[in-house]
Amino acid sequence: MPRSRTRLVAAGAFAALTLALAGCAGAASEADPIEDTPAAGTVTIEDNHGEVEVPIDPARVVALDNHVFETLAAWDIPLVAAPKPIMGSTWPQYTDDETVLDAGSHFEPQLESIIAAQPDLIIGGYRFAESYDAIVEQNPDAVVIEIAPREGEDQSAELIRQVEILGQIFDREAEAAELVADFEGAIADAADAYDGESSVTTLLTSGGEISYLAPVTGRSLGVLYPNVGLVPGIDQAADDTSHGDDISVEAIAAANPDWLIVMDRDGALAAPEGYVAAAELIEGSAALANVTAVAEGQVVYVDPNFYLTEDIQSYTALYEQLAEAFGA
């Protein structure tokens, strides 16, 4: 049986909190211009926890998963709360709008803001996955779903699944199909442009350090290897699939890859102390100067916002970038 929005009363542990926030919730509703119009029926989707009945085109939406912001913004879906500290400056329509309540970061979640926003639908998960049970318990009148790409599943298929679910919920299935077609076309173009022989190494930079992202399982970029058919310049399994593994510039130089693909983890955030741009780390390294990728200008720097988004649009843009670089 699908989960629905008609949940039982929240547990007593959160009842006092809900009552304490009642005044705040009223204030939020008065400030929020979103009209609380009835949803146009429901749709049953399969989220990461099973079947759930979701209102179609819900009026009051909280989104916590960075994968969905670009799609929601493109479809002009208003939000009533979002995790502003981890959204950078990519979606000012949400972060600069004071009527969109701040749900905090995954390290310091402000779950009371979600309650105050009185949502119909909460798109949780990803960085907020650990807060799922609390969010469900604290928001008995909202439908809570998690549709972020699941670990252990094909990540590209998961991105397609995610955007197709959003299309069902927001009655934008044609737009979702167009995003999927663009994504699949970009992958095919990148694979066609790649020569099938040049060696490629994927890296992540953060805090002035360079880390190695392994083929297939490495954070964000590992999926490029099977999708494009890349030949690994360094073929070593990942120990840390989230933040990359330690690697020395000497080890990269010894591998001498023909191409480097580099993600700048800190580039999308307000320049943290000690920030060094990826290009400066790679091209400013004497040890890497004679590496084929550096010497021949075959270094692809991923859009810094990629670390924040990792959505289907960002991957589409990355595959397009690879197609252009490989085909030059």
Side-chain angles (χ1 to χ4, degrees):
M1 176 182 294
R3 291 174 283 140
S4 74
R5 59 178 299 152
T6 53
R7 301 179 187 283
L8 296 177
V9 177
F14 294 99
L17 174 62
T18 304
L19 289 171
L21 288 164
C24 180
S29 296
E30 291 173 6
D32 192 332
I34 297 172
E35 294 183 9
D36 196 5
T37 54
T42 62
V43 61
T44 300
I45 60 119
E46 183 90 18
D47 84 341
N48 296 359
H49 301 275
E51 283 191 349
V52 55
E53 190 175 333
V54 181
I56 295 174
D57 202 14
R60 303 185 67 82
V61 180
V62 170
L64 305 173
D65 177 357
N66 285 57
H67 293 101
V68 306
F69 295 133
E70 187 64 29
T71 300
L72 299 183
W75 294 349
D76 294 323
I77 306 297
L79 298 180
V80 290
K84 295 184 178 182
I86 58 172
M87 296 173 71
S89 57
T90 305
W91 303 283
Q93 62 269 59
Y94 299 137
T95 53
D96 293 352
D97 185 344
E98 293 183 357
T99 67
V100 179
L101 301 185
D102 184 3
S105 71
H106 50 306
F107 294 120
E108 297 182 73
Q110 298 179 26
L111 301 185
E112 65 275 14
S113 293
I114 299 174
I115 301 171
Q118 300 177 314
D120 302 313
L121 174 68
I122 302 170
I123 305 173
Y126 195 43
R127 291 183 172 97
F128 276 77
E130 292 186 0
S131 297
Y132 175 76
D133 289 339
I135 291 170
V136 169
E137 198 164 14
Q138 293 174 16
N139 297 274
D141 294 327
V143 174
V144 184
I145 63 171
E146 292 192 331
I147 54 175
R150 297 164 292 188
E151 289 189 15
E153 301 292 337
D154 181 275
Q155 290 300 290
S156 297
E158 290 291 289
L159 289 173
I160 292 173
R161 163 184 169 267
Q162 185 177 50
V163 77
E164 288 180 339
I165 289 174
L166 291 175
Q168 289 180 279
I169 294 173
F170 293 101
D171 197 19
R172 302 293 185 99
E173 292 182 77
E175 290 89 340
E178 186 174 349
L179 288 173
V180 171
D182 290 345
F183 175 63
E184 293 177 333
I187 293 175
D189 289 345
D192 287 343
Y194 177 58
D195 64 12
E197 298 178 353
S198 298
S199 59
V200 180
T201 295
T202 41
L203 303 172
L204 177 147
T205 64
S206 179
E209 302 290 337
I210 300 172
S211 300
Y212 163 71
L213 296 175
V216 183
T217 56
R219 169 71 179 264
S220 302
L221 302 187
V223 69
L224 302 181
Y225 291 86
N227 284 353
V228 182
L230 303 178
V231 175
I234 301 173
D235 197 0
Q236 179 176 311
D239 287 329
D240 185 340
T241 58
S242 180
H243 297 93
D245 295 317
D246 293 340
I247 191 170
S248 67
V249 289
E250 289 77 14
I252 300 170
N256 192 27
D258 296 310
W259 288 86
L260 291 173
I261 303 174
V262 185
M263 180 166 61
D264 187 339
R265 179 175 181 268
D266 300 337
L269 305 172
E273 185 176 354
Y275 171 67
V276 181
E280 185 176 346
L281 279 173
I282 300 297
E283 296 172 43
S285 169
L288 298 179
N290 293 322
V291 169
T292 299
V294 177
E296 298 190 5
Q298 296 184 156
V299 184
V300 176
Y301 295 102
V302 179
D303 184 330
N305 286 320
F306 189 91
Y307 189 78
L308 292 181
T309 57
E310 300 176 87
D311 51 40
I312 195 167
Q313 293 92 339
S314 296
Y315 274 101
T316 299
L318 175 55
Y319 286 116
E320 291 173 345
Q321 185 181 8
L322 292 179
E324 182 176 354
F326 291 149

